[in-house]
Amino acid sequence: MSSITIRNLNKYYGALHVLRSLDLSIASGEGVVLLGANGCGKSTLMKCLNGLETPQSGSIVIDQNDVTTAKGLRLRSIRRDIGVVFQQFNLVENLTVFQNVLYGAMGQRRGGLLTVWNSLAPKDTREKAMHCLSRVRMADKASSRCRDLSGGQQQRVAIARMLMQSPKIILADEPVASLDPKAGIEVMDLLWEVVREHNMTVFCTLHQLDLAQNYADRIVGMKAGQIVFDSSNSSADKESLAQLYQGDTRVDGASSHENEYAAPNNRPAEIA
Amino acid sequence: MNTKQEPQSSHMPPRLTSPSWFAWLVIVVFAFLFFQGFSSAEISLERLVKGARNLSTFLGQAIPPDWSNMDVIANAMLETLYMAIVGVTVGIVLSVPFALLASRNTAPHPIVRTITRFMIATMRTIPDLIWALIFVVAVGLGPLAGILAIILDTIGFAARFFSERIEEVRPGPANALTASGAGRVSVIMGAILPETLASMSATSLYSVEKAIRSAVTLGLVGAGGIGVELSTAMRLFQFDKAFSIIIVVLLVVIGFEQLSSMIRKRVI
Ligand SMILES: Nc1ncnc2c1ncn2[C@@H]1O[C@H](COP(=O)(O)OP(=O)(O)O)[C@@H](O)[C@H]1O
Ligand SMILES: [Mg+2]
């Protein structure tokens, strides 16, 4: 039902060829972890999947809908079924936890903001938000401001917001990379629990091998804009996985050591 | 001990560095303008003495201030406050859409952004007194001209600061809501504006102070309020009356600044 099929995908940023004829299929209900060195194009692929970036050629079909050609309302209706978890949580920090969770339903209704603003939202919406918060064990913080929470707590709230959306597919781009190891494992456990509960399809990028092997059904490896490794978790061998981090891993040709921490996470982006 | 100790590896930076040729150019032009301006003011001892004498004549006639027209002054002061409050409120409310249209991350189209920015820049560049003169011609003498002038002056000031703040907002939260299928307007109102509220209230408070000060002077060109009374009194050499007006203005402006700094401490 909620499958992803990517065919011959090419994405350029100016002259920089980031995604290079990339092919990948993900079946409904599958938990896929994408591994790859910094700068190999993982985030770019994620952004293409929900239409935040437009590739120059190729197709991405999600549940019989082509994302790459969808615009306006059709694109929004595809996005409605895709929940995203970000490395930087991306909560509106000035607002309360509860308000942020309500925002998860913003795309679901025609009234937009008016139907999810705390003072105006219908009773069942507010109840659902509270339920999602309880699911991530953050119900006691409903009235706190997001900026007062720790990173792990913020990521749990972001997962509650994502649940509020009732998506079929989850995209998670380095969901634990900004967290300390303990909070990271808590968040990964929680994420995988809720994903399994709702039978959702997950596509998650990580950069720790061991984390990948603890959670994935299937591990996919990316190097310099292409999928170079694809196997079920149980049969993934360490040697080929280690290959992902050696040689020309980046798409921009820079040496991967110099640019390890220069990943463009904070580049201002337009609202699509 | 010798202060010019030789550094071990590379050179120690010199204490003074010579400015670039551009800096030199700026300095020379500035110095020229300064001395030219100084001499064009034709400052002479004689004029200074005469000025001091005139000033003491003014003070002699102004003290004691004439409070007999207190009702007229109070009414005019009230009109000034009304002008300021109406003008600044409308101005700030209009500043929000102007700022949204002028910001890179919220404008619907780059052309709209360019046009809006140009409009805001025009409103800011033309001084409020000149706006008032224009509106006195357009709508006649009285407070309406003053209100219109304050509206434009406020937009020119506040929309620019609002817009700068809007462009600084982290794109992440807005992207997150966009990715969930939310519409653009909802995203802007829900994720971008809430992050700017604190800074917008600070700017708005400052706009109020600015509007009250400018409402006082706008009357000087006939745009309503206490400035009208002041310029009449001055022109008729009723310095005692003028002095009482100046005192009232002083008290009201100081009172408002006090109030506004109190609010600022509460809010921010
Ligand atoms: N918006 C953008 N504009 C230009 N170049 C970009 C942009 N986003 C990413 N890149 C470049 O694309 C390459 C891949 O980046 P990214 O997809 O973020 O890699 P990863 O997530 O695997 O670390 C990098 O060289 C990066 O500099
Ligand atoms: Mg990345």
PDB file of all heavy atoms in Angstrom, chain B residues 18-43:
ATOM      1  N   SER B  18      47.784  51.678   8.982  1.00  0.00           N
ATOM      2  CA  SER B  18      47.362  52.784   8.140  1.00  0.00           C
ATOM      3  C   SER B  18      46.026  52.440   7.496  1.00  0.00           C
ATOM      4  O   SER B  18      45.825  51.339   6.986  1.00  0.00           O
ATOM      5  CB  SER B  18      48.418  53.016   7.062  1.00  0.00           C
ATOM      6  OG  SER B  18      47.880  53.881   6.098  1.00  0.00           O
ATOM      7  N   PRO B  19      45.060  53.392   7.528  1.00  0.00           N
ATOM      8  CA  PRO B  19      43.754  53.108   6.917  1.00  0.00           C
ATOM      9  C   PRO B  19      43.901  52.911   5.410  1.00  0.00           C
ATOM     10  O   PRO B  19      44.865  53.369   4.802  1.00  0.00           O
ATOM     11  CB  PRO B  19      42.932  54.370   7.204  1.00  0.00           C
ATOM     12  CG  PRO B  19      43.698  55.153   8.205  1.00  0.00           C
ATOM     13  CD  PRO B  19      45.114  54.730   8.109  1.00  0.00           C
ATOM     14  N   SER B  20      42.930  52.233   4.804  1.00  0.00           N
ATOM     15  CA  SER B  20      42.972  51.999   3.362  1.00  0.00           C
ATOM     16  C   SER B  20      42.731  53.313   2.622  1.00  0.00           C
ATOM     17  O   SER B  20      42.328  54.317   3.218  1.00  0.00           O
ATOM     18  CB  SER B  20      41.883  51.005   2.982  1.00  0.00           C
ATOM     19  OG  SER B  20      40.630  51.620   3.172  1.00  0.00           O
ATOM     20  N   TRP B  21      43.003  53.307   1.290  1.00  0.00           N
ATOM     21  CA  TRP B  21      42.828  54.544   0.540  1.00  0.00           C
ATOM     22  C   TRP B  21      41.380  55.001   0.595  1.00  0.00           C
ATOM     23  O   TRP B  21      41.084  56.190   0.630  1.00  0.00           O
ATOM     24  CB  TRP B  21      43.264  54.381  -0.918  1.00  0.00           C
ATOM     25  CG  TRP B  21      42.414  53.431  -1.718  1.00  0.00           C
ATOM     26  CD1 TRP B  21      42.657  52.108  -1.908  1.00  0.00           C
ATOM     27  CD2 TRP B  21      41.190  53.734  -2.384  1.00  0.00           C
ATOM     28  NE1 TRP B  21      41.655  51.556  -2.646  1.00  0.00           N
ATOM     29  CE2 TRP B  21      40.739  52.528  -2.961  1.00  0.00           C
ATOM     30  CE3 TRP B  21      40.425  54.892  -2.557  1.00  0.00           C
ATOM     31  CZ2 TRP B  21      39.565  52.440  -3.686  1.00  0.00           C
ATOM     32  CZ3 TRP B  21      39.253  54.803  -3.291  1.00  0.00           C
ATOM     33  CH2 TRP B  21      38.829  53.588  -3.844  1.00  0.00           C
ATOM     34  N   PHE B  22      40.450  54.065   0.670  1.00  0.00           N
ATOM     35  CA  PHE B  22      39.038  54.436   0.729  1.00  0.00           C
ATOM     36  C   PHE B  22      38.736  55.161   2.035  1.00  0.00           C
ATOM     37  O   PHE B  22      38.061  56.192   2.056  1.00  0.00           O
ATOM     38  CB  PHE B  22      38.158  53.193   0.591  1.00  0.00           C
ATOM     39  CG  PHE B  22      36.691  53.506   0.612  1.00  0.00           C
ATOM     40  CD1 PHE B  22      36.084  54.079  -0.504  1.00  0.00           C
ATOM     41  CD2 PHE B  22      35.921  53.255   1.740  1.00  0.00           C
ATOM     42  CE1 PHE B  22      34.738  54.387  -0.485  1.00  0.00           C
ATOM     43  CE2 PHE B  22      34.577  53.562   1.754  1.00  0.00           C
ATOM     44  CZ  PHE B  22      33.984  54.128   0.635  1.00  0.00           C
ATOM     45  N   ALA B  23      39.292  54.633   3.125  1.00  0.00           N
ATOM     46  CA  ALA B  23      39.091  55.289   4.407  1.00  0.00           C
ATOM     47  C   ALA B  23      39.659  56.701   4.363  1.00  0.00           C
ATOM     48  O   ALA B  23      39.051  57.647   4.867  1.00  0.00           O
ATOM     49  CB  ALA B  23      39.737  54.476   5.515  1.00  0.00           C
ATOM     50  N   TRP B  24      40.848  56.838   3.735  1.00  0.00           N
ATOM     51  CA  TRP B  24      41.440  58.165   3.594  1.00  0.00           C
ATOM     52  C   TRP B  24      40.506  59.109   2.840  1.00  0.00           C
ATOM     53  O   TRP B  24      40.283  60.249   3.247  1.00  0.00           O
ATOM     54  CB  TRP B  24      42.774  58.098   2.849  1.00  0.00           C
ATOM     55  CG  TRP B  24      43.938  57.802   3.749  1.00  0.00           C
ATOM     56  CD1 TRP B  24      44.768  56.731   3.683  1.00  0.00           C
ATOM     57  CD2 TRP B  24      44.375  58.597   4.848  1.00  0.00           C
ATOM     58  NE1 TRP B  24      45.692  56.790   4.690  1.00  0.00           N
ATOM     59  CE2 TRP B  24      45.477  57.925   5.423  1.00  0.00           C
ATOM     60  CE3 TRP B  24      43.938  59.809   5.421  1.00  0.00           C
ATOM     61  CZ2 TRP B  24      46.158  58.418   6.527  1.00  0.00           C
ATOM     62  CZ3 TRP B  24      44.617  60.300   6.526  1.00  0.00           C
ATOM     63  CH2 TRP B  24      45.712  59.603   7.065  1.00  0.00           C
ATOM     64  N   LEU B  25      39.939  58.610   1.771  1.00  0.00           N
ATOM     65  CA  LEU B  25      39.037  59.420   0.959  1.00  0.00           C
ATOM     66  C   LEU B  25      37.865  59.900   1.813  1.00  0.00           C
ATOM     67  O   LEU B  25      37.515  61.083   1.827  1.00  0.00           O
ATOM     68  CB  LEU B  25      38.526  58.589  -0.226  1.00  0.00           C
ATOM     69  CG  LEU B  25      37.690  59.372  -1.230  1.00  0.00           C
ATOM     70  CD1 LEU B  25      38.589  60.306  -2.032  1.00  0.00           C
ATOM     71  CD2 LEU B  25      36.950  58.427  -2.172  1.00  0.00           C
ATOM     72  N   VAL B  26      37.274  58.952   2.569  1.00  0.00           N
ATOM     73  CA  VAL B  26      36.136  59.306   3.405  1.00  0.00           C
ATOM     74  C   VAL B  26      36.537  60.375   4.411  1.00  0.00           C
ATOM     75  O   VAL B  26      35.834  61.361   4.623  1.00  0.00           O
ATOM     76  CB  VAL B  26      35.580  58.048   4.117  1.00  0.00           C
ATOM     77  CG1 VAL B  26      34.545  58.446   5.153  1.00  0.00           C
ATOM     78  CG2 VAL B  26      34.991  57.093   3.092  1.00  0.00           C
ATOM     79  N   ILE B  27      37.729  60.188   5.026  1.00  0.00           N
ATOM     80  CA  ILE B  27      38.172  61.142   6.037  1.00  0.00           C
ATOM     81  C   ILE B  27      38.343  62.535   5.424  1.00  0.00           C
ATOM     82  O   ILE B  27      37.895  63.542   5.974  1.00  0.00           O
ATOM     83  CB  ILE B  27      39.505  60.668   6.667  1.00  0.00           C
ATOM     84  CG1 ILE B  27      39.242  59.412   7.502  1.00  0.00           C
ATOM     85  CG2 ILE B  27      40.138  61.759   7.518  1.00  0.00           C
ATOM     86  CD1 ILE B  27      40.499  58.694   7.941  1.00  0.00           C
ATOM     87  N   VAL B  28      38.989  62.581   4.244  1.00  0.00           N
ATOM     88  CA  VAL B  28      39.247  63.879   3.611  1.00  0.00           C
ATOM     89  C   VAL B  28      37.935  64.578   3.248  1.00  0.00           C
ATOM     90  O   VAL B  28      37.731  65.752   3.549  1.00  0.00           O
ATOM     91  CB  VAL B  28      40.138  63.687   2.358  1.00  0.00           C
ATOM     92  CG1 VAL B  28      40.162  64.957   1.521  1.00  0.00           C
ATOM     93  CG2 VAL B  28      41.542  63.286   2.782  1.00  0.00           C
ATOM     94  N   VAL B  29      37.027  63.820   2.621  1.00  0.00           N
ATOM     95  CA  VAL B  29      35.746  64.420   2.230  1.00  0.00           C
ATOM     96  C   VAL B  29      34.993  64.909   3.461  1.00  0.00           C
ATOM     97  O   VAL B  29      34.452  66.023   3.487  1.00  0.00           O
ATOM     98  CB  VAL B  29      34.883  63.404   1.444  1.00  0.00           C
ATOM     99  CG1 VAL B  29      33.476  63.936   1.258  1.00  0.00           C
ATOM    100  CG2 VAL B  29      35.531  63.112   0.109  1.00  0.00           C
ATOM    101  N   PHE B  30      35.011  64.078   4.501  1.00  0.00           N
ATOM    102  CA  PHE B  30      34.303  64.466   5.713  1.00  0.00           C
ATOM    103  C   PHE B  30      34.890  65.742   6.300  1.00  0.00           C
ATOM    104  O   PHE B  30      34.163  66.674   6.666  1.00  0.00           O
ATOM    105  CB  PHE B  30      34.373  63.330   6.733  1.00  0.00           C
ATOM    106  CG  PHE B  30      33.697  63.670   8.027  1.00  0.00           C
ATOM    107  CD1 PHE B  30      32.322  63.540   8.157  1.00  0.00           C
ATOM    108  CD2 PHE B  30      34.429  64.148   9.110  1.00  0.00           C
ATOM    109  CE1 PHE B  30      31.697  63.883   9.336  1.00  0.00           C
ATOM    110  CE2 PHE B  30      33.804  64.496  10.290  1.00  0.00           C
ATOM    111  CZ  PHE B  30      32.431  64.353  10.408  1.00  0.00           C
ATOM    112  N   ALA B  31      36.212  65.804   6.373  1.00  0.00           N
ATOM    113  CA  ALA B  31      36.861  66.979   6.948  1.00  0.00           C
ATOM    114  C   ALA B  31      36.514  68.226   6.134  1.00  0.00           C
ATOM    115  O   ALA B  31      36.196  69.285   6.695  1.00  0.00           O
ATOM    116  CB  ALA B  31      38.381  66.780   6.983  1.00  0.00           C
ATOM    117  N   PHE B  32      36.539  68.078   4.829  1.00  0.00           N
ATOM    118  CA  PHE B  32      36.187  69.211   3.973  1.00  0.00           C
ATOM    119  C   PHE B  32      34.773  69.704   4.276  1.00  0.00           C
ATOM    120  O   PHE B  32      34.543  70.886   4.518  1.00  0.00           O
ATOM    121  CB  PHE B  32      36.297  68.788   2.503  1.00  0.00           C
ATOM    122  CG  PHE B  32      35.811  69.835   1.543  1.00  0.00           C
ATOM    123  CD1 PHE B  32      36.606  70.935   1.222  1.00  0.00           C
ATOM    124  CD2 PHE B  32      34.549  69.740   0.975  1.00  0.00           C
ATOM    125  CE1 PHE B  32      36.150  71.910   0.351  1.00  0.00           C
ATOM    126  CE2 PHE B  32      34.088  70.701   0.102  1.00  0.00           C
ATOM    127  CZ  PHE B  32      34.890  71.793  -0.208  1.00  0.00           C
ATOM    128  N   LEU B  33      33.832  68.759   4.312  1.00  0.00           N
ATOM    129  CA  LEU B  33      32.435  69.143   4.549  1.00  0.00           C
ATOM    130  C   LEU B  33      32.275  69.778   5.921  1.00  0.00           C
ATOM    131  O   LEU B  33      31.535  70.743   6.100  1.00  0.00           O
ATOM    132  CB  LEU B  33      31.521  67.911   4.433  1.00  0.00           C
ATOM    133  CG  LEU B  33      31.379  67.346   3.019  1.00  0.00           C
ATOM    134  CD1 LEU B  33      30.547  66.077   3.044  1.00  0.00           C
ATOM    135  CD2 LEU B  33      30.733  68.378   2.095  1.00  0.00           C
ATOM    136  N   PHE B  34      33.014  69.223   6.889  1.00  0.00           N
ATOM    137  CA  PHE B  34      32.886  69.741   8.244  1.00  0.00           C
ATOM    138  C   PHE B  34      33.323  71.206   8.306  1.00  0.00           C
ATOM    139  O   PHE B  34      32.593  72.067   8.803  1.00  0.00           O
ATOM    140  CB  PHE B  34      33.714  68.893   9.202  1.00  0.00           C
ATOM    141  CG  PHE B  34      33.661  69.384  10.618  1.00  0.00           C
ATOM    142  CD1 PHE B  34      32.574  69.072  11.424  1.00  0.00           C
ATOM    143  CD2 PHE B  34      34.681  70.170  11.132  1.00  0.00           C
ATOM    144  CE1 PHE B  34      32.518  69.537  12.717  1.00  0.00           C
ATOM    145  CE2 PHE B  34      34.621  70.636  12.436  1.00  0.00           C
ATOM    146  CZ  PHE B  34      33.538  70.318  13.232  1.00  0.00           C
ATOM    147  N   PHE B  35      34.510  71.478   7.757  1.00  0.00           N
ATOM    148  CA  PHE B  35      34.999  72.861   7.865  1.00  0.00           C
ATOM    149  C   PHE B  35      34.181  73.813   7.005  1.00  0.00           C
ATOM    150  O   PHE B  35      33.892  74.937   7.399  1.00  0.00           O
ATOM    151  CB  PHE B  35      36.487  72.914   7.519  1.00  0.00           C
ATOM    152  CG  PHE B  35      37.323  72.299   8.596  1.00  0.00           C
ATOM    153  CD1 PHE B  35      38.014  71.120   8.392  1.00  0.00           C
ATOM    154  CD2 PHE B  35      37.374  72.896   9.856  1.00  0.00           C
ATOM    155  CE1 PHE B  35      38.749  70.544   9.413  1.00  0.00           C
ATOM    156  CE2 PHE B  35      38.114  72.327  10.878  1.00  0.00           C
ATOM    157  CZ  PHE B  35      38.795  71.145  10.653  1.00  0.00           C
ATOM    158  N   GLN B  36      33.772  73.332   5.846  1.00  0.00           N
ATOM    159  CA  GLN B  36      32.904  74.139   4.993  1.00  0.00           C
ATOM    160  C   GLN B  36      31.611  74.484   5.739  1.00  0.00           C
ATOM    161  O   GLN B  36      31.165  75.628   5.752  1.00  0.00           O
ATOM    162  CB  GLN B  36      32.588  73.335   3.719  1.00  0.00           C
ATOM    163  CG  GLN B  36      32.047  74.131   2.574  1.00  0.00           C
ATOM    164  CD  GLN B  36      33.066  75.137   2.070  1.00  0.00           C
ATOM    165  OE1 GLN B  36      34.270  74.961   2.289  1.00  0.00           O
ATOM    166  NE2 GLN B  36      32.580  76.188   1.456  1.00  0.00           N
ATOM    167  N   GLY B  37      31.034  73.464   6.359  1.00  0.00           N
ATOM    168  CA  GLY B  37      29.779  73.661   7.077  1.00  0.00           C
ATOM    169  C   GLY B  37      29.960  74.598   8.252  1.00  0.00           C
ATOM    170  O   GLY B  37      29.137  75.477   8.514  1.00  0.00           O
ATOM    171  N   PHE B  38      31.082  74.419   8.934  1.00  0.00           N
ATOM    172  CA  PHE B  38      31.341  75.257  10.083  1.00  0.00           C
ATOM    173  C   PHE B  38      31.403  76.723   9.666  1.00  0.00           C
ATOM    174  O   PHE B  38      30.817  77.595  10.298  1.00  0.00           O
ATOM    175  CB  PHE B  38      32.674  74.826  10.706  1.00  0.00           C
ATOM    176  CG  PHE B  38      32.757  75.119  12.161  1.00  0.00           C
ATOM    177  CD1 PHE B  38      32.178  74.249  13.072  1.00  0.00           C
ATOM    178  CD2 PHE B  38      33.403  76.256  12.612  1.00  0.00           C
ATOM    179  CE1 PHE B  38      32.243  74.519  14.422  1.00  0.00           C
ATOM    180  CE2 PHE B  38      33.463  76.527  13.973  1.00  0.00           C
ATOM    181  CZ  PHE B  38      32.885  75.647  14.882  1.00  0.00           C
ATOM    182  N   SER B  39      32.088  76.980   8.550  1.00  0.00           N
ATOM    183  CA  SER B  39      32.231  78.378   8.147  1.00  0.00           C
ATOM    184  C   SER B  39      30.917  78.915   7.578  1.00  0.00           C
ATOM    185  O   SER B  39      30.629  80.102   7.707  1.00  0.00           O
ATOM    186  CB  SER B  39      33.370  78.538   7.141  1.00  0.00           C
ATOM    187  OG  SER B  39      33.003  77.912   5.934  1.00  0.00           O
ATOM    188  N   SER B  40      30.104  78.038   6.973  1.00  0.00           N
ATOM    189  CA  SER B  40      28.857  78.542   6.413  1.00  0.00           C
ATOM    190  C   SER B  40      27.869  78.913   7.518  1.00  0.00           C
ATOM    191  O   SER B  40      26.926  79.666   7.295  1.00  0.00           O
ATOM    192  CB  SER B  40      28.225  77.513   5.480  1.00  0.00           C
ATOM    193  OG  SER B  40      27.550  76.543   6.227  1.00  0.00           O
ATOM    194  N   ALA B  41      28.069  78.378   8.710  1.00  0.00           N
ATOM    195  CA  ALA B  41      27.191  78.769   9.814  1.00  0.00           C
ATOM    196  C   ALA B  41      27.534  80.172  10.305  1.00  0.00           C
ATOM    197  O   ALA B  41      26.812  80.736  11.130  1.00  0.00           O
ATOM    198  CB  ALA B  41      27.312  77.765  10.961  1.00  0.00           C
ATOM    199  N   GLU B  42      28.614  80.733   9.800  1.00  0.00           N
ATOM    200  CA  GLU B  42      29.053  82.096  10.122  1.00  0.00           C
ATOM    201  C   GLU B  42      29.043  82.375  11.619  1.00  0.00           C
ATOM    202  O   GLU B  42      28.329  83.243  12.111  1.00  0.00           O
ATOM    203  CB  GLU B  42      28.184  83.126   9.389  1.00  0.00           C
ATOM    204  CG  GLU B  42      28.381  83.095   7.881  1.00  0.00           C
ATOM    205  CD  GLU B  42      27.379  83.996   7.175  1.00  0.00           C
ATOM    206  OE1 GLU B  42      26.951  84.982   7.796  1.00  0.00           O
ATOM    207  OE2 GLU B  42      27.040  83.684   6.018  1.00  0.00           O
ATOM    208  N   ILE B  43      29.769  81.529  12.305  1.00  0.00           N
ATOM    209  CA  ILE B  43      29.812  81.692  13.745  1.00  0.00           C
ATOM    210  C   ILE B  43      30.814  82.785  14.089  1.00  0.00           C
ATOM    211  O   ILE B  43      31.969  82.744  13.666  1.00  0.00           O
ATOM    212  CB  ILE B  43      30.228  80.375  14.412  1.00  0.00           C
ATOM    213  CG1 ILE B  43      29.170  79.315  14.107  1.00  0.00           C
ATOM    214  CG2 ILE B  43      30.380  80.546  15.912  1.00  0.00           C
ATOM    215  CD1 ILE B  43      29.570  77.929  14.480  1.00  0.00           C
TER     216      ILE B  43
END
